[in-house]
Amino acid sequence: MVRFVPPVVRRLPILALLALGACNPAAREARDLRAECGEGRAAACTDLGARMFRGDGVLTDWRQAAELFGQACNDGYGPGCVRLARMHLGPAREQSGVPVDSARALRLFRRACERDDAHGCTRWGELLAFADTLPADAPPETPPPAISPDPVQAAALFDQGCRAGDLVGCTRFGTALADGTGVPPDPARAAALFQRACDGEHAAGCTALGRAYLAGAGVERDPPRAAELLEAACEHEMLACHTLADLYTRGDGVDLDYEKAADLFHTACYGTERRGEGSPGRAESCFRVGDLYANGTGVERDVYRAGSYFRQACRRGYEDACRR
C-alpha cells in the first residue's frame, strides 16, 4: 500500500529539507515532525508549521507554515486553526501569502472553539472584546468594520476557555469581572481567577494579581506582595515591568530606587516581542524613562538619551512625548 503524503509536505522546498536533515537536535526533531505530518497527523503538521514560522530547525518559511496550519485546521485540529488565525491578524508579510483579515481570523478561532480548543475560545473572545488586536491592553477607538464588539459574548467565551483549562482565558475573564465588562463586577472572584492563572505561571495573571494587591481590589492591599508578583512576571510581561518601575519611583512596597526604575522602564519600553510573539514594548514606559533622564531624577541627567526615548514613545503614539 502506498502511504499518503499530504500535498503541503510534498511541496516543502529543497533548502528546507536540507535544513531538516542537519545534525542538531532541533533539526532532528523537525525532521521527525515532517515524517509524522506526512502520515497525516495534524498535530505534527501544526508543530512543524510553528517551527517553520520561527525558523527553529528549519529555514523560516511563513508561506509553508500557513499551509501546514491550514491543512491541520481542515483536518479538524483546533490548534492549527488558532495558529492560522493569528497569522491573519499579524504579523502578516507579503511573502507569507496570508493577508491581514480579522473576519477570517474570527471564523478560524470560532472553528477551533467549536472543536473544543480552549485557547480558540479565548482568542475568539479577544477579537470580540478588542476588535482586531491580539491580544491588547485596551481596545482601539474604532473597531474594524468586519467585527462588531460584543463584551457579553466575549466574557462568556473567556469563562468557557478558562473552565476548559486555558489560563489566558482565566486572566481575561478575571479582567472582565474586575472591570464589570460584559458581566457584573466581582473583584473577589476576579482576584481568585488571577491567582489561578498565576499559579499556572501565566505572567499576565501574575501581573493582574499584583495590580489587584496594589489597589486592594478583591484582596487586602499589600504592596510588598504586589512587588513580588510583578518581579516574577516582569521577565515575560511588560506591564509588570512598568508597574514595578512605578513602585520604585514612589517607594511603594519597595525601597525608593530611581536607577532600578529606569532599568525597568527601559525593559518595558522595548519589550520582548519578536515575530508576533512575546510581550510588546509600552510607549508610556519609553516616556517615563525619558522623563527621568530629562530631569535627572535619581539618575544622571542626559538630554540626548531622554530625547531618544521620547522619540520612541512619540512614534508609538504617546502624544505627551511628542511635545517633549
Side-chain angles (χ1 to χ4, degrees):
M1 181 176 67
V2 177
R3 188 181 69 184
F4 171 72
V5 179
V8 174
V9 178
R10 287 202 299 265
R11 294 200 305 271
L12 286 177
I14 296 299
L15 288 178
L17 297 181
L18 289 174
L20 284 168
C23 294
N24 65 71
R28 286 196 298 270
E29 290 171 7
R31 182 186 58 210
D32 292 342
L33 286 173
R34 176 181 176 272
E36 292 177 21
C37 181
E39 294 172 354
R41 299 180 186 177
C45 294
T46 300
D47 289 346
L48 179 59
R51 285 174 178 269
M52 296 188 80
F53 184 87
R54 300 191 304 266
D56 182 6
V58 293
L59 297 180
T60 301
D61 190 331
W62 285 11
R63 183 179 297 274
Q64 290 290 339
E67 290 193 31
L68 286 164
F69 296 149
Q71 174 182 306
C73 181
N74 290 336
D75 287 344
Y77 189 62
C81 302
V82 170
R83 280 284 188 172
L84 182 57
R86 292 181 64 182
M87 289 191 74
H88 277 294
L89 291 173
R93 296 290 187 273
E94 209 172 285
Q95 65 267 28
S96 74
V98 180
V100 174
D101 188 341
S102 57
R104 168 71 173 155
L106 185 144
R107 291 193 296 271
L108 288 165
F109 286 139
R110 179 174 181 173
R111 187 187 301 179
C113 182
E114 290 170 347
R115 292 171 180 173
D116 299 321
D117 184 274
H119 201 49
C121 298
T122 298
R123 293 298 194 182
W124 180 12
E126 285 178 335
L127 275 187
L128 293 175
F130 308 125
D132 68 343
T133 53
L134 180 73
D137 297 315
E141 293 182 2
T142 306
I147 298 176
S148 298
D150 188 338
V152 174
Q153 187 180 8
L157 287 165
F158 295 151
D159 186 22
Q160 182 178 345
C162 179
R163 290 176 186 274
D166 183 52
L167 297 180
V168 179
C170 296
T171 300
R172 289 296 189 194
F173 188 47
T175 301
L177 288 166
D179 299 338
T181 304
V183 288
D186 189 337
R189 188 181 177 195
L193 286 169
F194 295 150
Q195 183 71 66
R196 175 180 171 183
C198 187
D199 289 344
E201 299 185 353
H202 181 233
C206 296
T207 301
L209 182 60
R211 290 168 67 89
Y213 274 111
L214 274 180
V219 290
E220 186 175 349
R221 188 173 189 274
D222 188 342
R225 174 61 178 152
E228 290 176 6
L229 289 163
L230 295 168
E231 181 77 42
C234 178
E235 182 178 354
H236 303 287
E237 175 69 18
M238 295 305 100
L239 178 59
C241 299
H242 178 93
T243 307
L244 183 59
D246 186 61
L247 293 185
Y248 277 109
T249 65
R250 296 185 284 112
D252 188 8
V254 293
D255 293 334
L256 188 70
D257 190 333
Y258 286 107
E259 288 188 6
K260 180 70 171 177
D263 286 343
L264 287 165
F265 280 136
H266 171 86
T267 298
C269 171
Y270 287 98
T272 61
E273 188 176 42
R274 182 173 180 267
R275 294 179 179 173
E277 298 182 348
S279 185
R282 303 182 61 83
E284 184 183 357
S285 301
C286 301
F287 175 78
R288 292 289 299 275
V289 66
D291 194 52
L292 290 178
Y293 280 106
N295 297 316
T297 306
V299 294
E300 186 176 351
R301 189 168 184 266
D302 188 333
V303 295
Y304 297 104
R305 192 171 184 181
S308 176
Y309 285 117
F310 289 147
R311 285 191 295 273
Q312 185 74 249
C314 181
R315 282 195 296 269
R316 298 181 189 179
Y318 198 81
E319 293 185 5
D320 288 349
C322 301
R323 293 190 287 269
R324 296 292 293 271

